[in-house]
């Protein structure tokens, strides 16, 4: 209301409104008793500055009926009237800004209009108020020389958009933890009951409010902090409130901060992309117009390598739907489902710590038992590890039986060369081109944060050590999975080599012992260090890489040994059964399928509900047990699908359901989709201009667009990068055939699943 009245005053040039103070004063939007008396036609009482306490620089007593909520400061006016702005270009342009407001100059009013005047909906969790980003960010004006300045050259002013965090709490009052947490509050009690943080981690922190402020671009984030701290502190002290003002550089951006020239890295990225597309186009043309199998000369290796870039051959490999093995065929659907669920879970994480209109919807979702399938979604990664161990075991055992030896160097190098080119191309994109593709209130804090991490720590991704080296500055937060998978892949090679040399009566106990070891590691760490058992996605979490549990435990390879070894054991069972004639009876097959494949994943996720409930009593031993067993149990449930369909009887319906013809192509695009999906998600957050509403409908619609974008681009990159590189690696590291190999079988003799 006050902001509206102010704009009317400025627009009509009415000086009797007295909303401005001179250079040594500042003003607030305040509903004091004097302003509630009969007013003029514009709704504001004509009162002198000495009568109205809001113009006084000294601490003022609180009048009856006046409180922090009614005396909330009008931030742009506090800034413009601040006497603590350091001398320099910022202070000079702020003085011109203040004069421009008094004269109703367009650029100055535009700067004021882009700023937040008063927060709304804070009690329901709308703590981030974004104002008008584009109106501020695109502001540029050439000002005539100041008549009171010695400088005769015209001055240029641009807008800088900042998000100012105001964190407030009562002085000398320590919020007491209630006996029982409840998301609903008695409306007749103090508002502080709903505002103060009392230990309910499900709730958005309402005592921390972000307000947008448009200032001249010559002012830095430190200048804004200095300008606001002292005057806001006076207001807060008068109300017995402690107020903390923070303006992060990443949330204070101007168009002039963005470099206009192409960097060397960007030129390299564009050169690589253009070169790859030229190769694909040329190879596809040669394959379809010139190359002939009848006239082909055997042993022409340069030509065969060139044909690996043929789009026709790579598309044929992607869309091949031939059968391999009853159990292994099911992995396509499992992989696609887990990838889709990971994309949905990461989309949900974008609602944490970012603008929401009604945070109560998100908070109350934690009280719904079924929601654990989503909120405990990080457990699905252990399904990936289980499947990875299963495929490795099947392939390595086949290789050992066929060749009686294992070329560790070739296998490790092959894995590295198959995964890394596309991986590094996405890292290079994040570091170079992505930051230039948009803008927004959170652009620098999200996209810029990703850029800086990738520029600084790309080598940790290349060496697959980013989950141990600088994990809090990890490039691409989901890339920890690749490092863990690579470490466990190497470990799995040696484990399977040892298993193959053992008699089966000792080999299976050996693998079970490793599973027990992998289960004991998180159990002991959780119990000894008194850690939480799972990664908790909570409403106030802005960035996972700043969460201590995420960087200290969740991303570590030694915490996932149990899940991977479950997959290795499952793969050994599937492989050893290929020459067996017995099958599990129908009744046992169906019972075990329900118990293991359905029950274990659901139960292991659902049991996490108590850790999302602040009213739960947590016992250290029980917590450690859950930390140790839940990941292994989930991987066991996923891998049991493959095992039971392989060795069980009477599961024809289950097999047909698990092997639709449309799934294999999508499953082969899962790796690219996993690398790419977060790009669209951080773009959406970085470019957002307004708060969103958390709802099932919105989550699903955004999930659909994520799937279409990521799998569509993954198809393109699979044809241009992933497919050619994998075929070239196979061409070089295996016996060289007469032509570039199709995506048929891998070096282990089974058709490629991953």
């Amino acid at each position: 209301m006050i902001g509206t009245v102010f704009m009317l005053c400025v627009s009509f040039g009415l000086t009797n409104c007295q909303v401005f103070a001179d250079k040594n004063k500042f003003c607030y939007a305040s509903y004091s008793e004097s302003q509630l008396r009969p007013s003029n036609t514009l709704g504001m009482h004509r009162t002198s500055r000495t009568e109205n306490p809001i113009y006084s620089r000294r601490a003022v007593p609180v009048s009856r009926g006046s409180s922090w909520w009614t005396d909330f400061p009008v931030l742009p006016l506090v800034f413009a009237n601040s006497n603590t702005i350091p001398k320099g270009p910022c202070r000079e342009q702020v003085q011109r800004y203040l004069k421009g407001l008094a004269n109703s100059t367009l650029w100055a009013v535009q700067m004021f209009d882009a700023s937040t005047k008063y927060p709304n909906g804070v009690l329901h969790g709308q703590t981030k108020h974004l104002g008008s980003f584009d109106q501020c960010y695109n502001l540029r004006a050439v000002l005539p020389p100041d008549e009171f300045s010695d400088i005769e050259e015209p001055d240029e002013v641009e807008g800088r958009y900042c998000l100012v965090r105001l964190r407030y709490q009562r002085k000398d009052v320590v919020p007491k933890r209630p006996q029982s947490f409840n998301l609903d509050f008695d409306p007749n009690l103090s508002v502080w009951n709903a505002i103060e943080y009392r230990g309910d981690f499900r709730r958005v922190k309402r005592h921390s409010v972000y307000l947008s402020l448009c200032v001249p671009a010559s002012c830095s984030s430190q200048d804004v902090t200095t300008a606001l701290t002292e005057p806001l502190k006076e207001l807060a002290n008068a109300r017995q409130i402690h107020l903390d003002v923070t303006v992060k550089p990443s949330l204070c951006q101007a168009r002039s901060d963005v470099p206009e020239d192409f960097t060397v890295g960007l030129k390299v990225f564009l050169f690589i992309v253009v070169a790859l597309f030229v190769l694909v186009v040329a190879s596809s043309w040669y394959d379809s117009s010139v190359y002939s199998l009848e006239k082909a000369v055997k042993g022409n290796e340069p030509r065969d390598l060139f044909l690996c870039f043929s789009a026709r051959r790579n598309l044929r490999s992607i869309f091949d739907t031939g059968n391999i093995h009853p159990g292994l065929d099911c992995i396509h659907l499992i992989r696609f489902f887990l990838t889709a669920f990971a994309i949905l879970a990461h989309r949900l994480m974008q609602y944490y710590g970012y603008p929401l209109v009604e945070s109560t919807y998100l908070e109350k979702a934690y009280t719904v038992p079924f929601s654990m399938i989503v909120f405990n979604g990080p457990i699905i990664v252990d399904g990936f590890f289980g499947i990875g161990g299963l495929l490795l075991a099947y392939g390595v055992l086949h290789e050992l039986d066929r060749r009686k030896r294992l070329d560790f160097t070739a296998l490790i190098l092959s894995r590295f060369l198959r995964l890394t080119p596309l991986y590094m191309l996405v890292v290079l994109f994040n570091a170079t081109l992505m930051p230039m593709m948009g803008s927004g209130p959170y652009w620098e804090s999200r996209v810029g944060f990703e850029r800086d991490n990738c520029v600084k720590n790309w080598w940790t991704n290349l060496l697959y050590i980013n989950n141990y080296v600088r994990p809090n500055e990890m490039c691409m937060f989901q890339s920890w999975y690749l490092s863990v998978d690579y470490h466990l892949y190497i470990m799995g090679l040696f484990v399977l080599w040892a298993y193959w040399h053992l008699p089966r009566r000792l080999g299976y106990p050996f693998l079970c012992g490793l599973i027990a070891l992998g289960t004991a590691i998180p159990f002991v760490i959780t119990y000894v260090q008194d850690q939480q058992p799972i990664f908790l996605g909570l409403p106030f979490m802005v960035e996972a890489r700043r969460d201590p549990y995420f960087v200290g435990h969740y991303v570590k390879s030694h915490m996932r040994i149990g899940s991977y070894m479950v997959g290795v054991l499952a793969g050994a069972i599937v492989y050893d059964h290929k020459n067996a004639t017995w099958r599990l009876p129908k009744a046992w097959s169906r019972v075990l399928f329900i118990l293991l494949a359905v029950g274990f994943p659901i139960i292991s996720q659902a049991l996490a509900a108590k850790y999302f409930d602040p009213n739960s009593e947590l016992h250290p031993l029980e917590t450690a047990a859950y930390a140790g067993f839940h990941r292994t149990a989930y991987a066991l449930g996923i891998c049991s699908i493959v095992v039971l369909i392989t060795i069980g009887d009477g599961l024809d319906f289950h097999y047909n359901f698990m092997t639709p013809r449309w799934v294999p192509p999508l499953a082969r695009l899962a790796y690219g989709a996993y690398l790419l999906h977060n790009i669209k998600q951080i773009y959406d957050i970085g470019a957002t201009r307004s708060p969103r509403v958390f709802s099932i409908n919105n989550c699903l619609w955004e999930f659909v667009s994520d799937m279409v974008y990521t799998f569509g681009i993954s198809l393109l990159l699979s044809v241009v990068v992933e497919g050619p590189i994998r075929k070239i690696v196979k061409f070089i590291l295996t016996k060289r055939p007469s032509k570039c190999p199709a995506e048929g079988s891998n070096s282990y003799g089974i058709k490629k699943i991953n």
Side-chain angles (χ1 to χ4, degrees), residues 186-204:
D186 187 344
N188 295 310
L189 296 179
S190 171
V191 68
W192 287 106
N193 290 325
I195 291 292
E196 290 175 326
Y197 180 70
R198 298 170 181 264
D200 191 344
F201 47 75
R202 299 170 301 180
R203 305 188 72 236
V204 169

PDB file of all heavy atoms in Angstrom, residues 186-204:
ATOM      1  N   ASP A 186      -1.717 -22.197  16.411  1.00  0.00           N
ATOM      2  CA  ASP A 186      -2.872 -21.523  16.998  1.00  0.00           C
ATOM      3  C   ASP A 186      -2.876 -20.074  16.522  1.00  0.00           C
ATOM      4  O   ASP A 186      -1.940 -19.315  16.806  1.00  0.00           O
ATOM      5  CB  ASP A 186      -2.777 -21.584  18.525  1.00  0.00           C
ATOM      6  CG  ASP A 186      -4.035 -21.045  19.202  1.00  0.00           C
ATOM      7  OD1 ASP A 186      -4.829 -20.352  18.525  1.00  0.00           O
ATOM      8  OD2 ASP A 186      -4.202 -21.302  20.407  1.00  0.00           O
ATOM      9  N   PRO A 187      -3.903 -19.634  15.801  1.00  0.00           N
ATOM     10  CA  PRO A 187      -3.917 -18.260  15.272  1.00  0.00           C
ATOM     11  C   PRO A 187      -4.007 -17.189  16.356  1.00  0.00           C
ATOM     12  O   PRO A 187      -3.788 -16.009  16.061  1.00  0.00           O
ATOM     13  CB  PRO A 187      -5.162 -18.248  14.367  1.00  0.00           C
ATOM     14  CG  PRO A 187      -6.024 -19.338  14.889  1.00  0.00           C
ATOM     15  CD  PRO A 187      -5.096 -20.388  15.397  1.00  0.00           C
ATOM     16  N   ASN A 188      -4.328 -17.561  17.590  1.00  0.00           N
ATOM     17  CA  ASN A 188      -4.427 -16.587  18.667  1.00  0.00           C
ATOM     18  C   ASN A 188      -3.113 -16.393  19.430  1.00  0.00           C
ATOM     19  O   ASN A 188      -3.034 -15.543  20.319  1.00  0.00           O
ATOM     20  CB  ASN A 188      -5.526 -16.997  19.646  1.00  0.00           C
ATOM     21  CG  ASN A 188      -6.895 -16.969  18.997  1.00  0.00           C
ATOM     22  OD1 ASN A 188      -7.273 -15.984  18.358  1.00  0.00           O
ATOM     23  ND2 ASN A 188      -7.648 -18.048  19.126  1.00  0.00           N
ATOM     24  N   LEU A 189      -2.086 -17.166  19.075  1.00  0.00           N
ATOM     25  CA  LEU A 189      -0.781 -17.014  19.704  1.00  0.00           C
ATOM     26  C   LEU A 189       0.074 -16.025  18.919  1.00  0.00           C
ATOM     27  O   LEU A 189      -0.322 -15.530  17.863  1.00  0.00           O
ATOM     28  CB  LEU A 189      -0.084 -18.367  19.798  1.00  0.00           C
ATOM     29  CG  LEU A 189      -0.767 -19.424  20.679  1.00  0.00           C
ATOM     30  CD1 LEU A 189       0.033 -20.720  20.648  1.00  0.00           C
ATOM     31  CD2 LEU A 189      -0.932 -18.926  22.103  1.00  0.00           C
ATOM     32  N   SER A 190       1.280 -15.762  19.405  1.00  0.00           N
ATOM     33  CA  SER A 190       2.170 -14.806  18.764  1.00  0.00           C
ATOM     34  C   SER A 190       2.611 -15.299  17.390  1.00  0.00           C
ATOM     35  O   SER A 190       2.775 -16.506  17.159  1.00  0.00           O
ATOM     36  CB  SER A 190       3.411 -14.577  19.635  1.00  0.00           C
ATOM     37  OG  SER A 190       4.373 -13.815  18.934  1.00  0.00           O
ATOM     38  N   VAL A 191       2.814 -14.362  16.486  1.00  0.00           N
ATOM     39  CA  VAL A 191       3.271 -14.700  15.142  1.00  0.00           C
ATOM     40  C   VAL A 191       4.664 -15.322  15.173  1.00  0.00           C
ATOM     41  O   VAL A 191       5.046 -16.073  14.279  1.00  0.00           O
ATOM     42  CB  VAL A 191       3.260 -13.441  14.248  1.00  0.00           C
ATOM     43  CG1 VAL A 191       4.326 -12.446  14.695  1.00  0.00           C
ATOM     44  CG2 VAL A 191       3.483 -13.802  12.787  1.00  0.00           C
ATOM     45  N   TRP A 192       5.429 -15.050  16.224  1.00  0.00           N
ATOM     46  CA  TRP A 192       6.774 -15.608  16.324  1.00  0.00           C
ATOM     47  C   TRP A 192       6.749 -17.130  16.403  1.00  0.00           C
ATOM     48  O   TRP A 192       7.723 -17.796  16.046  1.00  0.00           O
ATOM     49  CB  TRP A 192       7.508 -15.032  17.527  1.00  0.00           C
ATOM     50  CG  TRP A 192       7.933 -13.604  17.316  1.00  0.00           C
ATOM     51  CD1 TRP A 192       7.374 -12.501  17.885  1.00  0.00           C
ATOM     52  CD2 TRP A 192       8.997 -13.144  16.493  1.00  0.00           C
ATOM     53  NE1 TRP A 192       8.020 -11.359  17.456  1.00  0.00           N
ATOM     54  CE2 TRP A 192       9.026 -11.734  16.597  1.00  0.00           C
ATOM     55  CE3 TRP A 192       9.928 -13.766  15.662  1.00  0.00           C
ATOM     56  CZ2 TRP A 192       9.948 -10.950  15.909  1.00  0.00           C
ATOM     57  CZ3 TRP A 192      10.840 -12.989  14.983  1.00  0.00           C
ATOM     58  CH2 TRP A 192      10.846 -11.599  15.104  1.00  0.00           C
ATOM     59  N   ASN A 193       5.662 -17.706  16.855  1.00  0.00           N
ATOM     60  CA  ASN A 193       5.557 -19.163  16.889  1.00  0.00           C
ATOM     61  C   ASN A 193       5.650 -19.766  15.485  1.00  0.00           C
ATOM     62  O   ASN A 193       6.146 -20.880  15.304  1.00  0.00           O
ATOM     63  CB  ASN A 193       4.242 -19.593  17.542  1.00  0.00           C
ATOM     64  CG  ASN A 193       4.225 -19.302  19.031  1.00  0.00           C
ATOM     65  OD1 ASN A 193       5.243 -19.407  19.692  1.00  0.00           O
ATOM     66  ND2 ASN A 193       3.078 -18.912  19.563  1.00  0.00           N
ATOM     67  N   ALA A 194       5.134 -19.038  14.506  1.00  0.00           N
ATOM     68  CA  ALA A 194       5.168 -19.516  13.124  1.00  0.00           C
ATOM     69  C   ALA A 194       6.426 -19.074  12.392  1.00  0.00           C
ATOM     70  O   ALA A 194       6.785 -19.664  11.363  1.00  0.00           O
ATOM     71  CB  ALA A 194       3.932 -19.021  12.362  1.00  0.00           C
ATOM     72  N   ILE A 195       7.116 -18.045  12.925  1.00  0.00           N
ATOM     73  CA  ILE A 195       8.268 -17.481  12.236  1.00  0.00           C
ATOM     74  C   ILE A 195       9.571 -18.123  12.684  1.00  0.00           C
ATOM     75  O   ILE A 195      10.396 -18.528  11.872  1.00  0.00           O
ATOM     76  CB  ILE A 195       8.333 -15.951  12.462  1.00  0.00           C
ATOM     77  CG1 ILE A 195       7.178 -15.264  11.726  1.00  0.00           C
ATOM     78  CG2 ILE A 195       9.672 -15.400  12.006  1.00  0.00           C
ATOM     79  CD1 ILE A 195       7.282 -15.318  10.223  1.00  0.00           C
ATOM     80  N   GLU A 196       9.777 -18.227  13.969  1.00  0.00           N
ATOM     81  CA  GLU A 196      11.063 -18.669  14.497  1.00  0.00           C
ATOM     82  C   GLU A 196      11.306 -20.157  14.203  1.00  0.00           C
ATOM     83  O   GLU A 196      10.383 -20.956  14.190  1.00  0.00           O
ATOM     84  CB  GLU A 196      11.119 -18.434  16.003  1.00  0.00           C
ATOM     85  CG  GLU A 196      11.190 -16.964  16.379  1.00  0.00           C
ATOM     86  CD  GLU A 196      11.125 -16.753  17.877  1.00  0.00           C
ATOM     87  OE1 GLU A 196      10.419 -17.524  18.561  1.00  0.00           O
ATOM     88  OE2 GLU A 196      11.790 -15.811  18.358  1.00  0.00           O
ATOM     89  N   TYR A 197      12.570 -20.462  14.006  1.00  0.00           N
ATOM     90  CA  TYR A 197      12.953 -21.860  13.781  1.00  0.00           C
ATOM     91  C   TYR A 197      13.137 -22.534  15.131  1.00  0.00           C
ATOM     92  O   TYR A 197      13.982 -22.151  15.926  1.00  0.00           O
ATOM     93  CB  TYR A 197      14.246 -21.939  12.981  1.00  0.00           C
ATOM     94  CG  TYR A 197      14.697 -23.355  12.713  1.00  0.00           C
ATOM     95  CD1 TYR A 197      13.994 -24.160  11.827  1.00  0.00           C
ATOM     96  CD2 TYR A 197      15.815 -23.876  13.357  1.00  0.00           C
ATOM     97  CE1 TYR A 197      14.394 -25.468  11.581  1.00  0.00           C
ATOM     98  CE2 TYR A 197      16.221 -25.189  13.115  1.00  0.00           C
ATOM     99  CZ  TYR A 197      15.509 -25.970  12.230  1.00  0.00           C
ATOM    100  OH  TYR A 197      15.907 -27.263  11.999  1.00  0.00           O
ATOM    101  N   ARG A 198      12.348 -23.571  15.370  1.00  0.00           N
ATOM    102  CA  ARG A 198      12.368 -24.270  16.650  1.00  0.00           C
ATOM    103  C   ARG A 198      12.790 -25.722  16.511  1.00  0.00           C
ATOM    104  O   ARG A 198      12.587 -26.502  17.434  1.00  0.00           O
ATOM    105  CB  ARG A 198      10.980 -24.182  17.302  1.00  0.00           C
ATOM    106  CG  ARG A 198      10.549 -22.752  17.608  1.00  0.00           C
ATOM    107  CD  ARG A 198       9.098 -22.669  18.011  1.00  0.00           C
ATOM    108  NE  ARG A 198       8.712 -21.281  18.272  1.00  0.00           N
ATOM    109  CZ  ARG A 198       8.690 -20.722  19.473  1.00  0.00           C
ATOM    110  NH1 ARG A 198       9.012 -21.434  20.539  1.00  0.00           N
ATOM    111  NH2 ARG A 198       8.345 -19.462  19.624  1.00  0.00           N
ATOM    112  N   GLY A 199      13.345 -26.091  15.367  1.00  0.00           N
ATOM    113  CA  GLY A 199      13.847 -27.440  15.198  1.00  0.00           C
ATOM    114  C   GLY A 199      13.068 -28.308  14.238  1.00  0.00           C
ATOM    115  O   GLY A 199      13.462 -29.458  13.998  1.00  0.00           O
ATOM    116  N   ASP A 200      11.981 -27.806  13.657  1.00  0.00           N
ATOM    117  CA  ASP A 200      11.206 -28.582  12.694  1.00  0.00           C
ATOM    118  C   ASP A 200      11.834 -28.408  11.314  1.00  0.00           C
ATOM    119  O   ASP A 200      11.592 -27.430  10.609  1.00  0.00           O
ATOM    120  CB  ASP A 200       9.752 -28.111  12.685  1.00  0.00           C
ATOM    121  CG  ASP A 200       8.849 -29.064  11.905  1.00  0.00           C
ATOM    122  OD1 ASP A 200       9.380 -29.900  11.144  1.00  0.00           O
ATOM    123  OD2 ASP A 200       7.616 -28.983  12.058  1.00  0.00           O
ATOM    124  N   PHE A 201      12.669 -29.368  10.935  1.00  0.00           N
ATOM    125  CA  PHE A 201      13.419 -29.232   9.685  1.00  0.00           C
ATOM    126  C   PHE A 201      12.560 -29.390   8.443  1.00  0.00           C
ATOM    127  O   PHE A 201      13.039 -29.207   7.324  1.00  0.00           O
ATOM    128  CB  PHE A 201      14.570 -30.249   9.649  1.00  0.00           C
ATOM    129  CG  PHE A 201      14.189 -31.641  10.030  1.00  0.00           C
ATOM    130  CD1 PHE A 201      13.479 -32.451   9.157  1.00  0.00           C
ATOM    131  CD2 PHE A 201      14.551 -32.164  11.263  1.00  0.00           C
ATOM    132  CE1 PHE A 201      13.125 -33.734   9.498  1.00  0.00           C
ATOM    133  CE2 PHE A 201      14.212 -33.460  11.614  1.00  0.00           C
ATOM    134  CZ  PHE A 201      13.495 -34.252  10.731  1.00  0.00           C
ATOM    135  N   ARG A 202      11.291 -29.737   8.586  1.00  0.00           N
ATOM    136  CA  ARG A 202      10.403 -29.840   7.428  1.00  0.00           C
ATOM    137  C   ARG A 202       9.967 -28.471   6.919  1.00  0.00           C
ATOM    138  O   ARG A 202       9.449 -28.363   5.804  1.00  0.00           O
ATOM    139  CB  ARG A 202       9.159 -30.638   7.790  1.00  0.00           C
ATOM    140  CG  ARG A 202       9.392 -32.062   8.230  1.00  0.00           C
ATOM    141  CD  ARG A 202       8.133 -32.671   8.801  1.00  0.00           C
ATOM    142  NE  ARG A 202       7.630 -31.922   9.946  1.00  0.00           N
ATOM    143  CZ  ARG A 202       6.548 -32.245  10.624  1.00  0.00           C
ATOM    144  NH1 ARG A 202       5.837 -33.301  10.268  1.00  0.00           N
ATOM    145  NH2 ARG A 202       6.146 -31.522  11.662  1.00  0.00           N
ATOM    146  N   ARG A 203      10.149 -27.437   7.739  1.00  0.00           N
ATOM    147  CA  ARG A 203       9.576 -26.139   7.418  1.00  0.00           C
ATOM    148  C   ARG A 203      10.583 -25.227   6.740  1.00  0.00           C
ATOM    149  O   ARG A 203      11.786 -25.259   7.012  1.00  0.00           O
ATOM    150  CB  ARG A 203       9.061 -25.456   8.698  1.00  0.00           C
ATOM    151  CG  ARG A 203       8.076 -26.297   9.482  1.00  0.00           C
ATOM    152  CD  ARG A 203       7.450 -25.512  10.613  1.00  0.00           C
ATOM    153  NE  ARG A 203       6.505 -24.530  10.121  1.00  0.00           N
ATOM    154  CZ  ARG A 203       6.565 -23.228  10.387  1.00  0.00           C
ATOM    155  NH1 ARG A 203       7.530 -22.755  11.139  1.00  0.00           N
ATOM    156  NH2 ARG A 203       5.662 -22.410   9.913  1.00  0.00           N
ATOM    157  N   VAL A 204      10.081 -24.410   5.827  1.00  0.00           N
ATOM    158  CA  VAL A 204      10.885 -23.341   5.235  1.00  0.00           C
ATOM    159  C   VAL A 204      11.219 -22.334   6.325  1.00  0.00           C
ATOM    160  O   VAL A 204      10.389 -22.040   7.183  1.00  0.00           O
ATOM    161  CB  VAL A 204      10.105 -22.668   4.085  1.00  0.00           C
ATOM    162  CG1 VAL A 204      10.797 -21.399   3.631  1.00  0.00           C
ATOM    163  CG2 VAL A 204       9.936 -23.632   2.924  1.00  0.00           C
TER     164      VAL A 204
END
